[in-house]
Amino acid sequence: MRVIHSHRHAGHDGGFELHRGELVPCFETPTRVVHILRALERAEMPVEAPREFSVDALLRVHDAGFVEFLRNAHAQWRAHGRSGSMLPSGFPARGLRRDRIPAGINGMMGHYAFDAGTPIVEGTWDAALSSAQVALTAAALVAEGERSTYALCRPPGHHAGRSTYGGYCFLNNAALAAQELRDRGFGRVAVLDVDYHHGNGTQEIFYTRGDVLFVSIHGTPDTEYPYFLGYADERGIDAGEGFTRNFPLPAGSGWEGYRAALAEALEEIAQFGADALVVSLGVDTFEGDPISSFKLAGRHFPLIGAMIAALLLPTVLVQEGGYAAEEIGENVLGILEAF
Ligand code: SP5
Ligand code: ZN
């Protein structure tokens, strides 16, 4: 399996996030990647740099104003004499206007962000762009005939919507990969999201489309982040009706419940008649994860990998979450080795 990764991820670092009422160092750190790279090295899987894709390639799934905001946000912050990490503190909830984008940086941040856990620092834009290029390259390789590729993306992407960022995500790497596969001739593409958190951004991006199936297994939004999307009654609308499927599980779920949901999710993908697959690969379902509450053990990841690989589809695996840094490499490798 070919592995794509960019060292430019490291520019996104050093932020704090609002967690349980306190500012704490980000859970989503560059160190996560160091552990994954070590595991890949042990498995003798070499890493390749991504190809260049222009900013225009992002506009197939993202809004142009949003991309401009991400690109300039930290420069605007510095122009106001500030330095360091940017976090929003006010959001356009019910009753407030979201048709008008404030000119000032604080209002603009609140407009585009949906949480206070996703800081922007000086290197964030370049890291996010490189992460998107990693996913696009991995998809291009599959379109050119590779059976499967692994996009070692950082920052992650599945919470980023057409014009929103949050959940440690800025650009939606998995959605970009799925779109790239569509554009290169795969008629029907499925996205399987196995991150602990619902992939609200990916769901939103494809919600009205029948050519991309979105299927997600995650902690129930009733109690788990991102709280406001990911229920079983969300099934898609218009041409997308029936092409979104959510499998929310209670916090504390273990292997039995997980395995049953995964089997159903895979059945959906088979029935859809997918020509290619994108996996939003979060390993924050691990029992040792510091911000999540499933009870999967290390030995379960090879089983998950084997179940997904049995679809026998051209597959792009895109790294999402996973915050138990010491174990993240082994858990990711457990999935990859099934391919
Ligand atoms: C890509 C990804 O995995 N993003 C996750 C973002 C989660 N950010 C907020 C986490 C809030 C967790 N609340 C703590 C509950 C501890 N049981
Ligand atoms: Zn997650």
Side-chain angles (χ1 to χ4, degrees), residues 156 158-159 167-169 193-198 225 282-285 289 291-292 320-323:
H158 73 150
H159 293 303
Y168 316 150
C169 302
D193 191 320
V194 298
D195 186 280
Y196 178 77
H197 307 96
H198 177 247
Y225 185 90
V283 292
D284 38 13
T285 49
D289 196 274
I291 62 168
S292 311
E320 303 283 2
Y323 308 101

Side-chain angles (χ1 to χ4, degrees), residues 91-141:
F91 305 93
R94 284 166 306 287
L96 301 177
R97 282 183 71 168
R98 53 180 72 155
D99 61 313
R100 176 153 178 151
I101 304 170
I105 187 62
N106 287 301
M108 203 183 289
M109 234 193 311
H111 175 83
Y112 285 119
F114 64 84
D115 71 21
T118 311
I120 293 176
V121 296
E122 186 167 357
T124 297
W125 163 251
D126 186 62
L129 178 61
S130 80
S131 193
Q133 289 173 337
V134 164
L136 286 163
T137 302
L141 286 167

